[in-house]
Amino acid sequence: MTTWEPSAPALSVRQVLALERVLAGEPEVVAAAGRLDRPVRWVHVAEAADVGVMLSGGEMVLTTGVLLAGDENKQAEYVRSLHRAEASAVVLGLGRAFPSPPETMRRVAERCGLPLVVLHRPSPFAQLTEEVQSRLVRRKFAAVSLSEAVRTGLTALITTGAPLQRLLDEVARHSGCPVVVTNLAHRVLGTAGERPAVDDVLRDWERIARQAGRGEGDGWIRAELGGRGERWGRIVLCGYRGDTATGRLLADRAAEALVLHRMLGGGAARSWEEQSARSLMTDLVGGVVPARTLLPRARAAGLPVNRRTFVPLVVRGRDAARLDRVLRLLGLPGIAAELADTGAAVLLSLARDQDADALTLHFAARLRAEPGSAPAVVAAAGARTAFDDVPAGLREARHVADAVADSAAALDLPPVVRLRDVHLRGLIRLLRDDPQVQSFAERELDGLLGEPDEDLLSVLRTYLATGRNKSRTAQLHHVSRPALYRRLEAIQTRLGVDLDDFEQAASVHIALLAHDAQQH
C-alpha cells in the first residue's frame, strides 16, 4: 500500500486534537496513540460503513457511529475501510450510539495503526470542521506564498549571476535553519545560516548526514539535486522548525534553483566543491577566523582531522583541479584550492605513523612529472600535528613560493622547496615594502630600470641567480658566449659596477631581488 503524501502543508492529528474547539469535547486517544503525527489534509463527516470509497487519503473522519451501533462486523469494517483509504484518524463522538469506546473498533484500529479518538462531551461537528478547514486553507495559502517568494527571489539571483553562496543565504533566510549542500558522498559543498548553528551541524556531520538520509524526522528535510536521470547532490534543511510539508516545498524550490544555477553556469557539482575548498583555504590562510572555528568545515569537506599530521603546501605552475587529480591518483587525503595571486594551496592530512616528508616528496615528484606549460614549484612548510598551526604553515609555504617565483627556471630548486632553501631571497621578500629597501633597489638598478630593452635586466637576473655561471646563463637565454659577454659588458657599463667583484655583484643581486619582490 502506498502511503499518502500531502501535496500542501497539513495539520497533524496531534495539532488538531490541541485545538480549543476539540479540547472542549474532552478528546481521548484510545487506539494507535503513537501515530498522532500523521498529517490531516481535510476533515470529513461520515457514518456509512463503506466510508472509505468516498475518501482520497489524509482525511480525519468524524462520526457518531449511529449506523454502526449493535453490529460489530460493521464496526470492524468501518475502521478497515478507513485504513484502506489511508485516512489520518477517526474521531467518534460518544453519546446514544456509543456511551463508551467500542472495544471492537478500538481493537481493529490498534491493529491497523489508525488513531481512534473519542469525544466524551458533545461537540458540534460543523464548528469543528469549519475550524480545521479554515486553518488548513490558511496554511496552504501561506505555503504557496512562501514557495512563490522563494522561487522569485532565487530566480532573480540566478539571472543576475549571483554565486552559489548568495542562493544558499536566501534559502537559509526563508527557512530559519542551517542549510547544507552535499555531493552524493555527503561531502559538504556549501552551507548557509547562522555560523554557530552551522558549526554545530558540521561538527558531527558524518553521523548527521547518515541520520538525515533515513528520513525527515526532527526537521531534517532534504531534496535531491540532479537532472536527466542523474543525481549528483542534495540540499538539506537542518532542523527546520515549521511543518514538514512546508519545509519540503521550500527544499524543492531551493533544489530547482540550484539545478538551474548549475545548468546556466555551464558547470558541475565539481565546481561547487572547488568553491567550497577555496573558501575554506582562503579563510585558513587569512588567519582572521581562528583555525578551531574552521575545523568543522574542514571535517565536513572530507578532510580527516583527528590525530593527523598536516602538511601545508603552495604550488605554482599547476591549477587546483590538477592538484586534486594527483591527490586522488596517489590516494593522499587532502584539499586543493586556488588562492588569489599565489597559485594553489594544498593541505595534506596524513596518519601520524606515515612519513610526511617522504609522501610530500612523492607528491611533488608526481606533480613535476605532469605535463605543463611551466615547471611546477612545490613550496612546503614544516608538518603540523595541531590544526591550530595550519594557518601559519600555509602562510609560510606561500612565503617560500613567492620567494622563488621570479627565478624558478634559473634556480636549481629541490623537488620540495622549504624555508631553509630561500635564504636571502626569503628575507628580501619579507622586507620588500620597506621604503629604504625600495630606494636602495632603484638606486642600484637605475641604469637599467625604465629602459625599453628588458633583455638586459633578464640576463642580469639569470646570471646572478645561477651564481654568475656564464655557460648556464647563455644556455638559458639561447645565445652564444660572445653575445652574452657583450650583454654583460653593457650591463656593467650602465650600472657602473664590476660584476666580477663579489661585493658589488652581491649588492646588485640584493637590489634585483628587492625590485622583483616589489613587482609581485
Side-chain angles (χ1 to χ4, degrees):
M1 180 172 57
T2 304
T3 302
W4 171 79
E5 292 287 347
S7 57
L11 293 166
S12 67
V13 175
R14 189 186 312 278
Q15 289 173 318
V16 171
L17 298 182
L19 296 178
E20 186 175 347
R21 286 185 177 176
V22 180
L23 290 174
E26 297 182 6
E28 177 189 2
V29 181
V30 297
R35 306 294 300 277
L36 299 184
D37 290 322
R38 302 177 74 178
V40 176
R41 182 181 60 86
W42 209 241
V43 178
H44 191 70
V45 180
E47 303 288 355
D50 59 349
V51 62
V53 299
M54 297 181 287
L55 307 179
S56 57
E59 294 92 348
M60 172 180 280
V61 176
L62 310 179
T63 182
T64 62
V66 66
L67 300 181
L68 306 176
D71 191 331
E72 293 186 354
N73 290 332
K74 284 186 177 181
Q75 296 170 23
E77 178 55 28
Y78 184 86
V79 175
R80 284 192 289 265
S81 177
L82 293 178
H83 172 62
R84 288 192 298 270
E86 298 181 350
S88 296
V90 57
V91 178
L92 174 65
L94 299 182
R96 294 180 181 179
F98 291 102
S100 62
E103 179 59 25
T104 299
M105 293 182 68
R106 190 204 65 77
R107 187 172 59 252
V108 176
E110 187 68 43
R111 187 181 304 123
C112 293
L114 177 68
L116 173 59
V117 182
V118 297
L119 300 178
H120 289 277
R121 294 175 60 87
S123 180
F125 283 175
Q127 294 180 8
L128 192 153
T129 302
E130 180 184 9
E131 172 76 9
V132 176
Q133 311 297 48
S134 63
R135 287 177 178 266
L136 289 173
V137 169
R138 288 198 300 270
R139 290 167 73 90
K140 181 176 182 179
F141 178 77
V144 171
S145 298
L146 174 63
S147 176
E148 288 306 307
V150 172
R151 177 185 279 125
T152 300
L154 294 179
T155 301
L157 289 174
I158 292 172
T159 55
T160 58
L164 171 65
Q165 189 60 53
R166 287 284 306 281
L167 270 66
L168 297 184
D169 289 341
E170 181 74 0
V171 176
R173 184 176 71 83
H174 284 288
S175 66
C177 68
V179 176
V180 177
V181 174
T182 76
N183 61 14
L184 295 181
H186 304 306
R187 183 170 179 174
V188 174
L189 308 181
T191 63
E194 294 184 2
R195 194 74 254 168
V198 172
D199 288 343
D200 285 343
V201 169
L202 296 184
R203 194 165 287 113
D204 197 17
W205 176 250
E206 186 176 347
R207 180 189 63 79
I208 289 174
R210 289 196 302 269
Q211 175 182 328
R214 291 195 291 265
E216 294 185 338
D218 298 325
W220 291 84
I221 300 172
R222 66 176 188 170
E224 301 299 323
L225 304 176
R228 299 177 181 175
E230 178 187 6
R231 292 189 304 116
W232 41 266
R234 57 179 59 92
I235 181 170
V236 185
L237 307 185
C238 307
Y240 180 70
R241 296 182 180 275
D243 62 87
T244 300
T246 300
R248 194 174 298 130
L249 276 176
L250 183 55
D252 288 343
R253 294 296 84 77
E256 291 171 3
L258 295 185
V259 172
L260 180 60
H261 181 272
R262 173 187 171 184
M263 291 174 58
L264 295 180
R270 175 72 193 141
S271 67
W272 289 359
E273 291 185 27
E274 293 168 356
Q275 292 177 34
S276 175
R278 186 184 305 119
S279 173
L280 172 61
M281 206 71 83
T282 300
D283 286 345
L284 281 170
V285 172
V288 177
V289 182
R292 62 173 54 90
T293 303
L294 300 172
L295 191 60
R297 287 171 57 190
R299 182 187 293 111
L303 187 74
V305 296
N306 294 329
R307 297 188 57 79
R308 307 292 289 186
T309 297
F310 302 100
V311 182
L313 307 172
V314 169
V315 180
R316 288 185 179 271
R318 299 293 185 272
D319 59 30
R322 188 173 296 186
L323 297 178
D324 193 62
R325 186 171 67 83
V326 172
L327 287 175
R328 295 173 188 269
L329 183 66
L330 299 179
L332 292 175
I335 292 179
E338 302 287 345
L339 292 180
D341 303 324
T342 305
V346 178
L347 182 60
L348 299 179
S349 175
L350 308 175
R352 292 283 177 87
D353 58 354
Q354 291 180 296
D355 189 332
D357 289 342
L359 288 175
T360 303
L361 185 61
H362 184 43
F363 171 73
R366 183 66 181 83
L367 196 61
R368 288 162 71 99
E370 290 271 306
S373 57
V377 176
V378 181
R384 265 67 174 169
T385 56
F387 194 77
D388 283 351
D389 297 331
V390 166
L394 284 169
R395 289 192 290 272
E396 178 183 318
R398 183 175 60 177
H399 166 65
V400 173
D402 287 347
V404 300
D406 308 318
S407 306
L411 296 174
D412 185 17
L413 297 176
V416 179
V417 188
R418 300 184 183 276
L419 191 60
R420 62 176 177 267
D421 300 314
V422 298
H423 305 296
L424 177 63
R425 189 178 299 272
L427 176 62
I428 295 299
R429 196 80 188 183
L430 290 175
L431 299 175
R432 62 182 175 176
D433 294 325
D434 188 296
Q436 295 186 42
V437 173
Q438 294 174 0
S439 297
F440 169 76
E442 292 176 2
R443 184 171 62 251
E444 289 290 301
L445 301 175
D446 182 58
L448 294 180
L449 297 180
E451 290 293 327
D453 184 5
E454 287 289 327
D455 183 58
L456 292 181
L457 196 63
S458 176
V459 168
L460 176 63
R461 183 182 294 110
T462 305
Y463 180 62
L464 295 174
T466 57
R468 295 183 293 173
N469 186 321
K470 294 182 175 65
S471 297
R472 179 62 174 158
T473 302
Q475 180 184 16
L476 289 172
H477 283 269
H478 307 289
V479 298
S480 65
R481 290 282 293 270
L484 176 66
Y485 293 156
R486 289 193 295 272
R487 296 182 188 186
L488 290 176
E489 185 175 343
I491 291 171
Q492 293 180 101
T493 300
R494 293 193 182 192
L495 297 182
V497 298
D498 179 5
L499 293 178
D500 289 330
D501 180 88
F502 175 78
E503 184 174 341
Q504 294 183 54
S507 181
V508 172
H509 194 188
I510 292 172
L512 185 57
L513 290 176
H515 168 74
D516 289 342
Q518 291 161 15
Q519 307 308 307
H520 297 86

